Amino acid sequence: MKLLEQSARVALAAFLHDVGKLAERAGIDHHGRLDAHRTLYCPWHQEGSDPRRGYHSHIHAAYTGLAWDELEATGHFPDLRRDAPPFSTSTDDNATDSAVNAASAHHRPDTFLQWIVATADRVASGFERDKFDSEYNNKKERENHYRARLLTLFEQIGRGPIIEGELEWRYALRPLAPASIFPQRADACTPRDNAAARAEYLTLWEALLAGIRHIPKAHVSTLPLWLDHFDSLWLTITHAIPAATAFGTKPEVSLYDHSKATAALATALWRWHHEQSDEELRSVRALRDGWSAAKFLLVQGDFFGIQDFIFAEGGATQKNAHKLLRGRSFQVSLLAECAALKLLEALELPPTAQIINAAGKFLIVAPNTATAHAAVSHCRQELNDWCLAHTYGEIGVGLASTPASCNDFASGRFGDLTKRLFAALDTAKHQRFDLCADKATTAFDGFLDSFDNTLGVCAINGRHPADGEASAKRGYSLSKLADDQIRIGEQLTRDARLLVARDASTLPVLGLDYFGYRLAIVRSGEESGKYGELARNGTLLRVWDFDAAEADGTLWRGYARRFVNSYVPRFAASDVQTAGKYGKWQGEEDFARETDGDPLRSATIKTLHHIACEDRRLTAGERWQGEIALVTIKGDIDDLGSLFQRGLEKPTFAKMASLSRQINAFFALWLPWFCEHGHDENGVPRYRNTYTVFAGGDDFFLIGPWESTLALATILREKFAAYVANPHISFSAGLSMTQPKTPIRQLGRSTATALSAAKARPGKNAVSLWQRSVGWADWQTLMVERRAALEDLMARADSHGATFSSGLAYALLQLADRAESTRPEDAIWRSQLHYRLTRFFRDRVKGDEAARTRREQLLRDAIREIGGALGTHKGAYRLPLSVLLYRQRE
């Protein structure tokens, strides 16, 4: 643990090297110490021959030391002033290699540790070694650097050389929240004067000081645990702060992403030099001149088999489908988090070394040493053994290691490093479980002997041996893995924190160990805070907050944030008033039940049958109308790999980390929040009945009531377009409409087939439903504009006694097929449409001359609208017509 603690201290110094940018822009009180800090930490630029004439640049470095003192004063910040190797333990901070000096002196480094931070800072920014002075220390701040707002990297992808003034979008200077991740027009979020701009920074600074006090004091003494919490707080505060606002530099990387990249690189860099036996290699000269040596080891992890695992089925799967889908999806996320933690511990690295962890993928920056290679190899074997022993190869994790030098991170060469990373991970995917290695796996030895003849196989997955304890508890044959899945599905409706520990003796843990860790899901921060002693003695390794954002967007609650979706539809008071829509399933659940005084977390979870009934409407005849059905939607970003490899003009490590984080934020942060709290154009919370089975990385899988989910697909595409502000970035989606009793594996297969059909269209950027694939622009026209016109026509006809019948809907569907057909006999579809509509209106709209006039007007409008739509959209017009048909079902 000693090496881990030292590594965490280096990481913290590097992580906060630019905290002075926030403090300086906020104008915090320096208590008369600014001049002394300027002299210590800021470069001096002489003007003329007089050495007394000149100025200090990079004043933010002076404020880093001041800000560090303010953070320490909160009492919730680690004390690195004493007994803090590798930093000096002397009390004379001005003369020693202290942590605060290492953080503050990155523009004027002198000692080895100061050069560690300074080098990592430059490498993260993509600088060449020989351009330190010209591009790093000699650039002045732009005059309006207080007002500069963060550009969006998405807008720049695929555009070639870009001038900052040509970019239209910026991020408002607000804490991280579902709304604040969306860019705004530059004039909408750029303050008009410096005073207003600095006031925004001061608000963030005060939020940082307030937020750090929410981290449990018991966790401060365990630096890796505390650092994980602080990482999430720093993300919340600095995600929209520009890291660089120097003249001639585009403010396009956030302070958070730059800080995280610098911390990861500095830690690995220090570890590489620290572990060298040659004293010369542990010198400042070796650090400054050794940019061509491969000192870094980039370790990637990627889980495979995730979707087959989530949608696996057995005899009792449907009974527990609503719990299993959430439980399995969350279980996979836990496995990914625990696998990354396992690797971090094996490498003795702090949490800041983990740059990416989203949708089963992670990236860790390690030192390129023999010890690190051995740790990765050993960890790979442990992960493989666990996956084979507990999932029998249904899921697994591939690990790929790529050495890199400081030079590889330079903006001119980073694109080549990215290609190597992708290639290495692709190779790892094709070497699952190392089955072709010299030594054969023994994970399946005794597999048949593990079955109990009285219990047989697990009723949930149909293949694993059932466990006696789990089976006795549930009353049917069940494995420990499946029992955990059901428990997780149940607890997600009410609990919000996850504890990761070495020992299970005092924790309400899940049944399995997860790569050697015991996991406990607890209700709240207060309850997780009861385990402070476990944090102090090293038993408690992590506490993760996976709860959804509040309705107002609040995210920070004092614990490390993991964007693992936990939203599930639950019954509300309004459902009691419309309980008749559930039909025969009305009495299946006691959905009015509330306990513990917390209706949101105590209300019963909705089953898929209940969700399928949510779009039914009560007719004037007091009958519930509308199809009882689900729509599943699966989507992902088109050509994501090429976006990362070729998208940016000057790619850097920090930019890559930023893009990955921001892509994940849309699906993992905004989408679940919107499903729970979002409203349609009429202010109705229409999407709260949507299961977000998984949402993160660049893809998502949702299940919801059929009509609401169709509307959600439309708004999801609109929001994504607003989020990326770039027509070159798109996603495709496949939708499948099914009955609630459809086996869950079939849900996955049918939706995956639909997604493949959408991506098969030229240019992708498409959606597929009911065997029809259309571009999103056509979808918008058909499912919004054409559908609205059709519904308006139906409402007018109904007011005159001509209610659209199912028979007419089926006839129009047939005409849509004929309009698309190339057979000669189908060319008369227009005549058939005229005949069918004429018969329909003349049979139903009767009466005096005024009635006949209305009838003829309706007929003309119907022929114009429906005939025009069929002529333009051909068979794709089946989409709004099918919605019309399904809405009429009783």
Side-chain angles (χ1 to χ4, degrees):
M1 286 295 275
K2 182 179 180 182
L3 189 56
L4 172 58
E5 289 289 332
Q6 292 184 54
S7 300
R9 290 167 189 143
V10 174
L12 178 58
F15 199 50
L16 287 179
H17 77 285
D18 269 347
V19 66
K21 290 184 176 179
L22 170 57
E24 186 269 331
R25 296 170 197 174
I28 69 170
D29 190 349
H30 53 75
H31 304 290
R33 294 179 293 148
L34 181 58
D35 285 343
H37 279 70
R38 249 195 304 244
T39 302
L40 275 174
Y41 303 128
C42 301
W44 172 258
H45 301 272
Q46 183 175 320
E47 294 180 334
S49 59
D50 187 349
R52 295 171 298 178
R53 293 181 58 116
Y55 65 93
H56 286 104
S57 65
H58 300 81
I59 304 302
H60 70 269
Y63 274 91
T64 290
L66 298 168
W68 189 291
D69 292 341
E70 292 293 318
L71 292 172
E72 283 186 331
T74 65
H76 290 252
F77 191 83
D79 185 0
L80 302 187
R81 291 173 297 180
R82 293 176 297 173
D83 190 25
F87 298 105
S88 170
T89 58
S90 170
T91 57
D92 185 3
D93 286 344
N94 290 338
T96 63
D97 208 1
S98 65
V100 64
N101 279 354
S104 303
H106 57 282
H107 282 282
R108 194 181 173 184
D110 181 38
T111 68
F112 176 75
L113 288 170
Q114 290 170 9
W115 269 105
I116 285 285
V117 176
T119 303
D121 181 23
R122 293 160 169 130
V123 173
S125 301
F127 283 106
E128 303 280 356
R129 187 178 71 88
D130 57 358
K131 295 182 179 179
F132 283 178
D133 290 333
S134 62
E135 294 190 6
Y136 187 70
N137 268 354
N138 284 338
K139 285 192 174 182
K140 296 183 179 181
E141 290 277 25
R142 59 180 73 191
E143 291 184 4
N144 65 337
H145 74 280
Y146 300 117
R147 297 171 53 216
R149 292 296 174 261
L150 185 66
L151 304 173
T152 166
L153 291 171
F154 292 123
E155 185 184 6
Q156 303 178 54
I157 288 178
R159 292 185 54 171
I162 298 171
I163 299 174
E164 181 180 335
E166 297 174 351
L167 297 172
E168 302 178 43
W169 301 91
R170 308 287 189 276
Y171 293 104
L173 203 62
R174 300 287 185 271
L176 183 68
S180 66
I181 65 174
F182 285 81
Q184 301 179 11
R185 296 282 183 184
D187 57 356
C189 64
T190 302
R192 295 185 177 182
D193 54 59
N194 285 343
R198 301 192 74 173
E200 291 183 356
Y201 274 109
L202 182 58
T203 298
L204 290 180
W205 171 255
E206 292 172 344
L208 176 65
L209 293 181
I212 200 172
R213 290 184 172 92
H214 287 101
I215 300 177
K217 293 203 71 171
H219 296 187
V220 176
S221 59
T222 306
L223 188 52
L225 176 60
W226 180 90
L227 195 54
D228 197 30
H229 299 323
F230 186 77
D231 185 326
S232 294
L233 173 60
W234 192 243
L235 168 64
T236 302
I237 300 301
T238 65
H239 79 105
I241 295 177
T245 56
F247 181 77
T249 300
K250 292 202 296 284
E252 57 189 357
V253 175
S254 76
L255 185 54
Y256 172 77
D257 294 303
H258 177 67
S259 300
K260 188 74 174 284
T262 301
L265 292 167
T267 307
L269 198 60
W270 174 76
R271 283 282 296 277
W272 187 89
H273 285 274
H274 176 75
E275 295 181 32
Q276 301 305 307
S277 58
D278 188 342
E279 186 69 28
E280 176 61 27
L281 292 177
R282 298 198 297 273
S283 67
V284 170
R285 185 174 66 177
L287 177 59
R288 294 182 60 180
D289 298 339
W291 276 51
S292 60
K295 300 176 182 179
F296 303 104
L297 187 68
L298 304 182
V299 186
Q300 300 175 92
D302 189 7
F303 269 79
F304 50 79
I306 290 177
Q307 295 191 35
D308 287 341
F309 179 77
I310 291 176
F311 295 107
E313 62 186 10
T317 304
Q318 284 306 109
K319 176 182 178 182
N320 300 281
H322 61 301
K323 298 174 183 176
L324 280 173
L325 286 172
R326 290 298 313 122
R328 285 174 174 171
S329 177
F330 193 79
Q331 193 177 54
V332 168
S333 298
L334 293 183
L335 288 169
E337 293 288 350
C338 290
L341 177 57
K342 186 78 173 178
L343 192 56
L344 286 172
E345 284 212 300
L347 293 164
E348 296 185 88
L349 290 172
T352 49
Q354 181 179 324
I355 292 295
I356 296 170
N357 196 358
K361 297 179 176 65
F362 57 83
L363 173 64
I364 291 171
V365 183
N368 186 27
T369 61
T371 303
H373 280 276
V376 173
S377 179
H378 181 72
C379 196
R380 179 186 291 111
Q381 188 62 50
E382 285 193 280
L383 298 179
N384 284 343
D385 289 346
W386 192 96
C387 291
L388 289 170
H390 294 288
T391 74
Y392 304 98
E394 285 183 317
I395 60 173
V397 58
L399 293 182
S401 302
T402 305
S405 67
C406 291
N407 285 332
D408 289 329
F409 290 88
S411 58
R413 298 176 58 176
F414 186 72
D416 292 334
L417 176 58
T418 302
K419 292 177 182 177
R420 286 164 49 202
L421 290 171
F422 274 86
L425 191 57
D426 189 59
T427 299
K429 289 179 181 178
H430 291 85
Q431 297 176 339
R432 299 181 179 186
F433 300 114
D434 293 331
L435 295 178
C436 295
D438 292 337
K439 67 169 188 174
T441 180
T442 59
F444 292 126
D445 290 353
F447 171 67
L448 294 179
D449 295 333
S450 64
F451 284 88
D452 184 329
N453 290 334
T454 61
L455 297 175
V457 299
C458 174
I460 293 297
N461 57 49
R463 293 180 297 278
H464 298 182
D467 175 75
E469 182 180 348
S471 301
K473 180 173 58 177
R474 297 288 178 181
Y476 54 89
S477 297
L478 201 63
S479 65
K480 282 189 176 181
L481 184 73
D483 183 47
D484 272 3
Q485 291 165 357
I486 295 174
R487 285 180 62 184
I488 292 170
E490 293 170 341
Q491 289 183 270
L492 286 179
T493 64
R494 60 182 186 271
D495 299 332
R497 307 287 184 274
L498 185 127
L499 311 180
V500 183
R502 301 185 193 280
D503 177 42
S505 59
T506 60
L507 296 173
V509 295
L510 297 174
L512 286 178
D513 75 277
Y514 288 78
F515 302 132
Y517 303 118
R518 302 313 305 266
L519 309 182
I521 302 176
V522 297
R523 179 153 301 183
S524 65
E526 289 70 27
E527 186 170 342
S528 57
K530 296 177 182 178
Y531 303 104
E533 182 56 36
L534 298 181
R536 283 185 285 267
N537 65 30
T539 299
L540 185 64
L541 300 175
R542 297 289 189 271
V543 181
W544 291 327
D545 180 356
F546 57 81
D547 203 6
E550 304 289 351
D552 64 359
T554 299
L555 283 168
W556 173 248
R557 302 183 186 90
Y559 296 88
R561 160 68 58 175
R562 291 297 185 271
F563 296 105
V564 178
N565 168 53
S566 61
Y567 175 66
V568 292
R570 291 180 287 265
F571 288 103
S574 58
D575 293 313
V576 178
Q577 303 168 10
T578 59
K581 64 187 173 186
Y582 300 121
K584 64 181 180 180
W585 297 290
Q586 179 177 348
E588 186 174 309
E589 297 281 357
D590 181 14
F591 52 83
R593 175 173 57 87
E594 296 178 4
T595 59
D596 300 335
D598 186 355
L600 288 180
R601 292 226 163 266
S602 304
T604 305
I605 189 173
K606 291 184 177 180
T607 69
L608 296 183
H609 286 100
H610 292 107
I611 292 173
C613 299
E614 291 297 343
D615 283 335
R616 305 184 78 195
R617 295 172 173 82
L618 196 61
T619 66
E622 297 297 313
R623 301 182 64 179
W624 288 98
Q625 185 180 64
E627 185 70 50
I628 298 175
L630 301 168
V631 160
T632 52
I633 172 172
K634 174 177 169 57
D636 61 42
I637 297 177
D638 298 320
D639 303 318
L640 181 65
S642 65
L643 294 180
F644 273 89
Q645 294 187 55
R646 300 186 297 273
L648 293 173
E649 178 187 0
K650 293 182 179 180
T652 66
F653 188 48
K655 289 180 186 178
M656 182 194 73
S658 179
L659 279 176
S660 178
R661 176 184 63 79
Q662 290 176 321
I663 286 172
N664 184 62
F666 180 80
F667 295 109
L669 168 57
W670 176 81
L671 179 54
W673 175 85
F674 183 76
C675 288
E676 183 172 9
H677 300 292
H679 297 77
D680 63 15
E681 64 277 6
N682 299 315
V684 178
R686 190 176 184 183
Y687 312 111
R688 65 181 182 86
N689 293 302
T690 305
Y691 259 97
T692 46
V693 178
F694 59 80
D698 72 318
D699 63 352
F700 59 93
F701 192 101
L702 313 175
I703 302 177
W706 72 274
E707 192 173 1
S708 295
T709 306
L710 298 183
L712 179 59
T714 303
I715 198 167
L716 182 58
R717 194 264 175 176
E718 293 174 352
K719 290 291 187 179
F720 182 78
Y723 184 71
V724 297
N726 188 333
H728 298 295
I729 306 175
S730 63
F731 75 83
S732 295
L735 289 82
S736 177
M737 186 171 177
T738 59
Q739 297 297 311
K741 62 182 179 181
T742 302
I744 58 175
R745 181 177 287 274
Q746 183 57 35
L747 293 180
R749 288 174 176 169
S750 60
T751 313
T753 299
L755 177 57
S756 297
K759 287 188 173 291
R761 283 179 55 89
K764 302 180 182 180
N765 192 22
V767 58
S768 181
L769 172 66
W770 296 318
Q771 289 76 53
R772 295 284 171 179
S773 298
V774 298
W776 280 110
D778 287 335
W779 172 273
Q780 175 76 20
T781 301
L782 287 163
M783 300 299 277
V784 178
E785 299 170 19
R786 291 295 194 186
R787 176 178 165 182
L790 189 59
E791 290 176 349
D792 180 66
L793 184 63
M794 289 173 54
R796 289 171 53 205
D798 187 60
S799 67
H800 297 298
T803 301
F804 270 47
S805 64
S806 297
L808 177 60
Y810 280 116
L812 294 177
L813 287 171
Q814 292 174 351
L815 290 174
D817 292 336
R818 291 171 185 169
E820 192 171 53
S821 172
T822 58
R823 298 186 308 170
E825 59 268 32
D826 289 330
I828 62 172
W829 66 266
R830 292 184 185 275
S831 299
Q832 293 171 332
L833 175 66
H834 279 246
Y835 173 77
R836 190 68 179 83
L837 290 176
T838 300
R839 286 287 306 271
F840 175 80
F841 284 110
R842 288 181 178 172
D843 288 346
R844 286 164 174 76
V845 183
K846 299 179 180 179
D848 55 16
E849 185 65 27
R852 287 194 294 272
T853 300
R854 290 193 297 270
R855 178 187 66 193
E856 295 304 319
Q857 184 61 50
L858 280 171
L859 177 59
R860 287 192 297 272
D861 291 346
I863 291 173
R864 182 179 65 254
E865 172 56 33
I866 299 174
L870 287 172
T872 301
H873 301 288
K874 310 298 182 184
Y877 194 54
R878 291 182 63 97
L879 295 174
L881 288 174
S882 296
V883 173
L884 163 64
L885 180 63
Y886 289 128
R887 289 185 69 176
Q888 293 179 326
R889 294 277 177 84
E890 293 187 1

